[in-house]
């Protein structure tokens, strides 16, 4: 018997704006998606995968490698097969349909990273509805790597907030962020120095804003490690955030523990 349902929110973005005009390819990270999802299932929960348009996310090619699985080729192949064939990953629902059916049955919500959430999820109205629901009920809300930027969707003016960041108008972004549910929360996210590695060696371009700066502008208390790609998880009340791809297993453990605590308390 399932312990309950867990909502996993994926991104449909396949490109991200870069300075000077134009776009760079992006997507969702494979390990950041499947490692926590598989852990949640192994712990006895049912995963419901949903995206803004109800189609499966595009996996960022930069993540499609055994390197993100500790060079364990067998683990990498299992992950690829899970994402490609397991009903938990292939039976994707649209966020609006999940909301219409009711959010009360869900024990928690998880958002994986890759830079894609910084394009669509951080300003998606339906993501905002979902996050406000889980926040109001103090249900476990976990986000990994770039995924934590999605919490800005809970703002009353998330689209305007992002537009101000793109325009480089920090003062205006702060104005649009007023009333944010997660103001004052401790959190982590992909660090500025880690982002520079991606900009220099993967994108070969500079992004309009960093996720660290965005969350700090909104009022988050962001904590990142001084060493790039060191695993790091920060937990504050119902919010559980992981810094980078190597935080996949640690955040999965913390998220499952939080789900189990809520189950026991109930």
């Amino acid at each position: 018997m399932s312990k309950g349902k867990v909502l996993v929110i994926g991104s449909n973005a396949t490109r991200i704006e870069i300075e000077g005009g134009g776009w760079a390819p992006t997507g969702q990270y494979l390990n950041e998606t499947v490692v926590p999802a598989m852990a949640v299932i192994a712990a006895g929960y049912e995963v419901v995968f949903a995206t803004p348009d109800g189609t499966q996310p595009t996996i960022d090619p930069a993540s499609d490698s055994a390197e993100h699985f500790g060079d364990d080729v067998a683990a990498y192949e299992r992950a690829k097969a899970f994402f490609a064939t397991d009903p938990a990953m292939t039976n994707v629902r649209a966020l609006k349909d999940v909301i219409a059916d009711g959010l009360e049955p869900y024990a928690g919500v998880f958002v994986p990273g890759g830079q894609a959430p910084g394009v669509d999820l951080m300003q998606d109205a339906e993501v905002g509805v979902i996050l406000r629901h889980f926040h109001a009920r103090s249900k476990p809300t976990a986000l990994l790597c770039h995924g934590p930027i999605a919490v800005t969707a809970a703002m009353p003016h998330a689209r305007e907030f992002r537009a101000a960041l793109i325009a480089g108008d920090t003062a205006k972004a702060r104005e649009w962020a007023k009333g944010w549910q997660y103001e004052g929360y401790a959190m982590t996210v992909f660090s500025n120095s880690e982002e520079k590695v991606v900009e220099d060696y993967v994108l070969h371009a500079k992004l309009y804003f960093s996720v660290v700066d965005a969350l700090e502008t909104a009022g988050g208390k962001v904590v990142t490690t001084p060493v790039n790609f060191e695993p790091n998880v920060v937990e504050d009340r119902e919010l559980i955030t992981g810094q980078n791809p190597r935080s996949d297993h640690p955040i999965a453990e913390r998220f499952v523990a939080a789900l189990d605590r809520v189950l026991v308390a109930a």
Side-chain angles (χ1 to χ4, degrees):
M1 180 180 295
S2 170
K3 292 180 179 177
K5 295 197 291 186
V6 172
L7 181 61
V8 176
I9 301 177
S11 168
N12 291 128
T14 59
R15 59 180 193 164
I16 189 168
E17 305 99 323
I18 54 176
E19 284 192 359
W23 301 79
T26 193
Q28 191 166 294
Y29 260 47
L30 177 64
N31 67 303
E32 296 176 19
T33 305
V34 303
V35 168
M38 291 171 78
V40 164
I41 292 169
Y45 295 88
E46 174 191 351
V47 162
V48 175
F49 199 16
T51 63
D53 70 9
T55 64
Q56 198 178 43
T58 296
I59 293 299
D60 191 324
S63 73
D64 194 0
S65 165
E67 178 185 359
H68 291 287
F69 296 85
D71 290 320
D72 184 335
V73 175
Y76 165 59
E77 293 296 340
R78 284 195 300 272
K80 287 187 70 173
F82 175 76
F83 186 80
T85 66
D86 194 284
M89 295 285 98
T90 59
N91 293 341
V92 185
R93 303 197 64 202
L95 293 177
K96 63 180 177 61
D97 294 333
V98 170
I99 294 168
D101 287 347
L103 297 170
E104 285 298 339
Y106 291 90
V109 60
F110 171 68
V111 181
Q115 289 167 320
V119 180
D120 58 355
L121 300 188
M122 73 175 290
Q123 58 178 336
D124 188 279
E126 287 153 354
V127 173
V129 169
I130 292 165
L131 290 174
R132 289 191 294 271
H133 171 91
F134 282 89
H135 170 75
R137 291 157 181 78
S138 299
K139 288 186 176 182
T141 302
L143 310 97
L144 177 57
C145 197
H146 288 80
I149 194 60
V151 293
T152 65
M155 292 176 183
H157 301 284
R159 287 186 178 275
E160 293 87 347
F161 174 76
R162 187 178 188 274
L165 293 174
I166 292 285
D169 192 339
T170 302
K172 181 61 72 175
R174 287 197 184 99
E175 285 294 317
W176 288 124
K178 287 182 178 178
W180 188 42
Q181 290 77 1
Y182 300 99
E183 181 180 2
Y185 272 63
M187 58 187 71
T188 192
V189 71
F190 203 62
S191 74
N192 286 347
S193 56
E194 289 168 340
E195 195 75 89
K196 189 174 188 311
V197 173
V198 174
E199 289 176 332
D200 290 348
Y201 297 101
V202 178
L203 297 179
H204 306 289
K206 185 168 176 54
L207 300 172
Y208 278 101
F209 63 88
S210 79
V211 285
V212 170
D213 295 347
L215 290 174
E216 289 182 337
T217 296
K221 296 180 179 178
V222 180
V223 181
T224 57
T225 61
V227 179
N228 283 346
F229 305 106
E230 182 93 1
N232 181 33
V233 176
V234 173
E235 191 166 353
D236 186 352
R237 287 158 279 188
E238 82 277 10
L239 190 66
I240 308 165
T241 49
Q243 180 174 326
N244 49 40
R246 289 189 61 210
S247 304
D248 54 357
H249 287 282
I251 198 172
E253 292 171 7
R254 296 280 283 274
F255 184 42
V256 167
L259 292 169
D260 285 348
R261 284 197 303 272
V262 172
L263 186 65
V264 169

